[in-house]
Amino acid sequence: VFYSVKNTSSDNDSWDIYYVERLEDDYFSNPKAINLNTSEFDEFSPSISPDGNTLYFVSNRKGSKGNFDIWVSKRKGKDTWSEPENLGRNVNTFGSETYPFIAADNRHLYFLSNGRKTLGGSDIFVYDLQSDKPAQNIGYPINTEEAEHSMGVCLDGKTAYSTFKNKDNDFLEINRFELDSKHQSEERFLVDVSMDKQLRGDITLNVVNLSNSKTDAYYIADEHPNATFIVEKSPKYLCVLDQKGYMFYVEKFSYDTKNLTIKQLPLESGMSCPLNAMDFDQSGVVFDDLSQTILDRFISFLKGSPKYRIEISSNAKMNKALKQYLVKSGIREDRLSFLDTSSDKVIYKIQ
């Protein structure tokens, strides 16, 4: 959870961004300040991308085009973020842009602006990060002659909530509405992920959408070895653990998978691990597209671990095809041995 706090010390009264991590039993870690904070400028209103790797926030730091601009930074490690970049003229103006919200599709950014043509003091705008067109006003009746406030969009991409000032009592209240089709984000789904045991360090899980080959990386902290994938409506996904010090592990899942368990096995002699989701196509002699995707990543793992020999166990037909594919892809034959079984499953063992 990322949030902002105004400092009250005599030498620093600026707004800064902090974060906490959710621990077991719904406890949270102690707050930590991010490395983007400055003492002379404000940093506030953070919005984190679905994969946890991109942070949008508001600041009046040097380089801002107006009073307050929206900036973006990329995760470099557990507690470090890249030098922030200004989102530029398609978003920022000579006025103020505040309250950014990155939608679950990681593409549509909603925010508040008083520096563009508005119906009132401040209006809600949406910006397509994959477009070179300026941000668009989401229009009436969401925006009114009053000053609008923060906004968030649900996973379905069309249901949204915003805060607005009730002119009858001057209180801020919550408004629920449906975005029109041209201002909606793309629908996304949640898949809960857990590791089968405590991590020995932070890891990154790669999620591959097999319908378009798009890959998203999810950072998993050892203090809380669970995650939630936010995925498109695709029936074929692959979760890949390919991290130094661990066995190569893959698991197939779909957008409607409720719970996904990932095994993390230490990379050491004698350790065995399945190559899940491996299969032939209907001809019985050629790997299907999914299997080739898995094998290509497995080959990268083998090339990155050149000191290990591998024993592969499967049926004779599968073993023959695996040997041909691996050797043709540059894996030395003397690193490979094969054990014929009656099973269609593929298991590899570090020797």
Side-chain angles (χ1 to χ4, degrees), residues 166-334:
N166 188 323
K167 58 184 178 181
D168 294 331
N169 56 27
D170 211 32
F171 291 159
L172 284 176
E173 298 182 359
I174 297 176
N175 181 34
R176 180 180 182 272
F177 57 92
E178 184 169 309
L179 290 163
D180 63 70
S181 58
K182 64 182 179 180
H183 297 133
Q184 292 178 8
S185 58
E186 299 171 5
E187 185 177 21
R188 291 294 183 266
F189 300 84
L190 299 181
V191 177
D192 290 329
V193 185
S194 60
M195 314 305 289
D196 69 337
K197 55 186 172 183
Q198 186 65 38
L199 297 176
R200 299 185 300 168
D202 303 335
I203 65 169
T204 298
L205 295 177
N206 291 305
V207 176
V208 184
N209 185 339
L210 296 170
S211 65
N212 57 21
S213 299
K214 180 183 176 182
T215 300
D216 292 318
Y218 285 81
Y219 180 83
I220 313 295
D222 57 359
E223 296 97 333
H224 185 55
N226 298 296
T228 299
F229 295 158
I230 302 179
V231 299
E232 301 175 32
K233 190 175 183 178
S234 173
K236 291 184 179 181
Y237 279 93
L238 201 64
C239 178
V240 182
L241 171 58
D242 183 8
Q243 183 105 0
K244 185 177 181 180
Y246 289 96
M247 301 282 281
F248 174 83
Y249 183 83
V250 294
E251 197 72 63
K252 185 173 71 171
F253 69 97
S254 175
Y255 75 95
D256 57 358
T257 299
K258 299 303 180 183
N259 295 285
L260 184 67
T261 300
I262 303 300
K263 294 182 178 181
Q264 64 278 11
L265 305 170
L267 179 58
E268 55 189 37
S269 296
M271 186 64 66
S272 298
C273 184
L275 277 182
N276 294 318
M278 292 289 297
D279 202 0
F280 289 108
D281 67 5
Q282 294 182 355
S283 68
V285 294
V286 179
F287 292 111
D288 62 12
D289 291 342
L290 172 60
S291 296
Q292 289 187 46
T293 298
I294 295 171
L295 281 176
D296 290 343
R297 289 177 174 266
F298 183 58
I299 288 166
S300 296
F301 161 76
L302 293 178
K303 290 181 178 179
S305 309
K307 71 176 183 178
Y308 293 107
R309 297 185 69 252
I310 306 295
E311 178 188 80
I312 296 177
S313 302
S314 189
N315 62 66
K317 183 181 291 186
M318 178 73 84
N319 279 342
K320 181 179 179 181
L322 282 168
K323 182 177 180 179
Q324 292 176 347
Y325 197 98
L326 294 175
V327 172
K328 183 180 179 180
S329 299
I331 304 302
R332 296 196 323 270
E333 190 171 348
D334 62 0

Side-chain angles (χ1 to χ4, degrees), residues 16 21 38 59 70 115 117 156 164 180 206 280 282 297:
D16 284 343
E21 293 177 304
T38 61
S59 180
I70 298 175
K117 186 177 181 180
D156 63 7
F164 71 102
D180 63 70
N206 291 305
F280 289 108
Q282 294 182 355
R297 289 177 174 266

Side-chain angles (χ1 to χ4, degrees), residues 46-61:
S47 180
I48 189 73
S49 65
D51 58 10
N53 293 322
T54 306
L55 182 66
Y56 300 88
F57 65 97
V58 176
S59 180
N60 58 348
R61 61 177 54 210

